[in-house]
Amino acid sequence: MQVYIPIKGEKVTPTSTNSSNDTQNKKIVNINTATVDDFKDVTGIGPKKAEKVIAYREEHGQFKTLHDLINVSGIGEKSLAKLKDQLTV
């Protein structure tokens, strides 16, 4: 094991080799501002679904809650349950 002690005032980005921390290190995507490219980091949303989310947002306005995603074709309650930890409004 190797321990790194930063110099006083040095900003350090934490790294982890523990796979259980992988979900904690994932980027949270804002569904009201995300582009198709931003959605590529979200497990369970491919380019087609990302385009549907964006099209819905452009047609109906910003999402008020994550639950509003079920109004997007192809996203139901089960999908939303899997996605909710990766998304925000």
Side-chain angles (χ1 to χ4, degrees), residues 23-79:
T23 56
Q24 294 173 355
N25 294 334
K26 284 189 177 181
K27 184 172 117 177
I28 305 287
V29 175
N30 185 321
I31 60 175
N32 285 321
T33 59
T35 64
V36 172
D37 195 46
D38 294 329
F39 280 112
K40 72 177 181 177
D41 296 327
V42 179
T43 304
I45 295 186
K48 295 282 186 195
K49 267 192 196 171
E51 289 172 5
K52 288 180 181 180
V53 171
I54 293 167
Y56 184 90
R57 180 179 72 207
E58 289 172 351
E59 185 176 331
H60 299 281
Q62 298 220 333
F63 295 95
K64 292 178 179 39
T65 67
L66 283 180
H67 194 265
D68 292 342
L69 272 176
I70 64 166
N71 297 320
V72 176
S73 175
I75 299 179
E77 293 285 346
K78 289 182 182 180
S79 296

